[in-house]
Amino acid sequence: MFEILSDTFVENGLIVSFAIVGITIYLSYILSDKLTNGKIHGSAIAIIMGLILAYFGGLFTGGEQGLADIGIFAGIGLMGGGMLRDFAIVATAFGASLDEIKKAGLPGIISLFAGVIVSFVIGVLIAFAFGYTDPVSLSTIGAGAATYIVGPVTGSALGASSEVIALSVAAGLIKSILTMIGTPFVAKYIGLDNPRSAIVYGGLMGTTSGVAGGLAATDPKLVPYGAMTATFYTGLGCLMAPSILFLVTRTIFG
Amino acid sequence: MVIYGVALLAVCLLAGTLLGELLGVAIGIDANVGGVGIAMLILVLLVDYLKKNNKLNVKSQEGMAFWGAMYIPIVIAMAAQQNVVAALDGGPLALLAGVAAVVVSWAMVPVLSNIGKGTSTFSDEELGGTDDVRNIK
């Protein structure tokens, strides 16, 4: 009996994930109503629940894909994977205002450069405070503070040690998770309630998954604007961190 | 037809991803540069054009609105497959670097949002599916 059940789940992975996510959202909205009187958005609670599930999934399996590493929940990997995520992000642009995007072009571009540089500098300074002094390690950890993709790309390009690359990935993951969880709570203090500030926010934070989750939990109407700039960030980071930012770091610490 | 809207999304995403890859090759890095962002721009421009010419019927729009409404559930599935364990295993350096980068970036949002003229407001058109997302109950 148990085998039949688990086979059914494994064979219908994507369908299982629809059901799990649906139930998770349903419970999250009940919690949002009953415990917080709707003060904390149901989506925000659902994202936190998702992260908790991912933690336990990782704990039980030792894998890298959270809940998706558990056989019967493998469909989560398809539903929440890059392909469908990007597809849904693009779909949110249906209804975004062309004029707003045009108006925010300049602040958007400035925020991208500022976002990459500021995160990189912070990462470098903290790595230095922890006793790293060689420019390769410093730059790799700085790049990790940008996103968890820029970190390893930079580390491999510069020939950093695997331990340092792992650190850079962890820093990027922390950034992504905190952005997901924290954004709805700070939104009103940073004026994140209109398309322009969302475009700037996407450029500054830059972690596609963090921005995607953070804005979803804040106000779904902001999603297309923030996601649009965020998707340029990793590319820009991969361009700048191993080259110009590394050279500057080497000049200062080398 | 619903599929027309879905196919339009798919074509935009593929075109954007392809351009993003080419852009990456052009500047010599092993990464997709803004593929999704480019796809979104293409979609916005296409929808704008099609609507002006009355080429986008309600059914086609529903195809896009559905995927727009599926965005939040997909993001939750995305959260459920993050490598949370690795993030927490990174120790104090990774934790501090990640947290500091986020906090300082947040603090800069209001500063940079004031660049440019005029106020920023949402368009009159509702986003596909925001209502459905919000009134889940």
Side-chain angles (χ1 to χ4, degrees):
Chain A
M1 179 61 216
F2 188 74
E3 198 173 323
I4 294 174
L5 193 71
S6 96
D7 281 353
T8 308
F9 272 50
V10 170
E11 281 164 17
N12 297 292
L14 184 61
I15 312 299
V16 171
S17 66
F18 288 156
I20 291 173
V21 171
I23 293 164
T24 307
I25 293 179
Y26 179 73
L27 293 175
S28 302
Y29 271 79
I30 290 178
L31 286 175
S32 162
D33 263 355
K34 294 275 186 290
L35 294 182
T36 71
N37 261 329
K39 276 197 187 70
I40 303 177
H41 207 290
S43 314
I45 295 177
I47 287 169
I48 293 169
M49 279 173 115
L51 290 167
I52 293 169
L53 289 173
Y55 177 74
F56 285 112
L59 214 56
F60 290 136
T61 62
E64 292 179 356
Q65 283 231 301
L67 197 61
D69 283 323
I70 299 173
I72 55 171
F73 299 135
I76 292 278
L78 183 56
M79 182 177 172
M83 181 172 68
L84 281 183
R85 184 199 67 189
D86 289 350
F87 193 62
I89 286 179
V90 173
T92 62
F94 166 61
S97 148
L98 192 58
D99 293 340
E100 284 303 330
I101 294 164
K102 278 184 199 156
K103 271 199 293 190
L106 180 67
I109 292 167
I110 294 172
S111 71
L112 271 170
F113 282 91
V116 171
I117 294 167
V118 164
S119 288
F120 182 89
V121 169
I122 287 171
V124 168
L125 290 176
I126 287 171
F128 186 70
F130 273 81
Y132 286 92
T133 50
D134 65 296
V136 169
S137 300
L138 289 171
S139 300
T140 304
I141 294 168
T147 73
Y148 60 80
I149 298 168
V150 181
V153 166
T154 305
S156 323
L158 300 176
S161 70
S162 63
E163 166 216 4
V164 168
I165 290 179
L167 268 180
S168 78
V169 173
L173 287 169
I174 292 281
K175 183 183 186 184
S176 160
I177 291 167
L178 183 61
T179 306
M180 269 188 226
I181 296 177
T183 299
F185 297 98
V186 299
K188 61 174 179 291
Y189 302 109
I190 59 175
L192 184 57
D193 59 3
N194 59 70
R196 186 186 301 158
S197 62
I199 284 176
V200 166
Y201 162 88
L204 280 170
M205 307 315 283
T207 149
T208 308
S209 45
V211 167
L215 288 179
T218 306
D219 181 352
K221 275 197 283 204
L222 298 169
V223 169
Y225 303 103
M228 198 174 293
T229 37
T231 56
F232 285 92
Y233 183 103
T234 288
L236 186 68
C238 293
L239 181 66
M240 287 171 70
S243 55
I244 182 157
L245 293 175
F246 168 66
L247 292 177
V248 172
T249 310
R250 197 173 60 182
T251 311
I252 296 171
F253 296 95
Chain B
M1 295 269 273
V2 167
I3 185 65
Y4 292 165
V6 179
L8 186 69
L9 284 180
V11 169
C12 287
L13 178 57
L14 293 171
T17 308
L18 208 61
L19 286 169
E21 291 289 339
L22 290 173
L23 204 56
V25 171
I27 52 183
I29 53 170
D30 186 22
N32 187 306
V33 181
V36 176
I38 297 168
M40 291 167 95
L41 284 171
I42 297 171
L43 180 74
V44 170
L45 292 168
L46 268 177
V47 167
D48 196 55
Y49 169 81
L50 291 170
K51 274 192 175 162
K52 275 181 184 148
N53 294 294
N54 279 331
K55 286 265 198 301
L56 201 65
N57 66 21
V58 176
K59 275 287 175 208
S60 306
Q61 294 189 29
E62 275 175 11
M64 282 187 265
F66 171 78
W67 283 102
M70 276 301 282
Y71 169 78
I72 288 183
I74 284 171
V75 164
I76 288 153
M78 176 195 82
Q81 56 149 345
Q82 295 296 307
N83 196 351
V84 182
V85 173
L88 298 177
D89 279 351
L93 196 173
L95 189 71
L96 205 58
V99 171
V102 170
V103 171
V104 175
S105 302
W106 274 336
M108 287 174 65
V109 171
V111 179
L112 293 177
S113 297
N114 292 329
I115 299 171
K117 292 188 177 68
T119 51
S120 173
T121 47
F122 292 110
S123 57
D124 299 336
E125 295 163 25
E126 266 305 295
L127 253 189
T130 33
D131 284 352
D132 308 340
V133 169
R134 280 197 172 145
N135 305 326
I136 255 171
K137 288 187 288 279

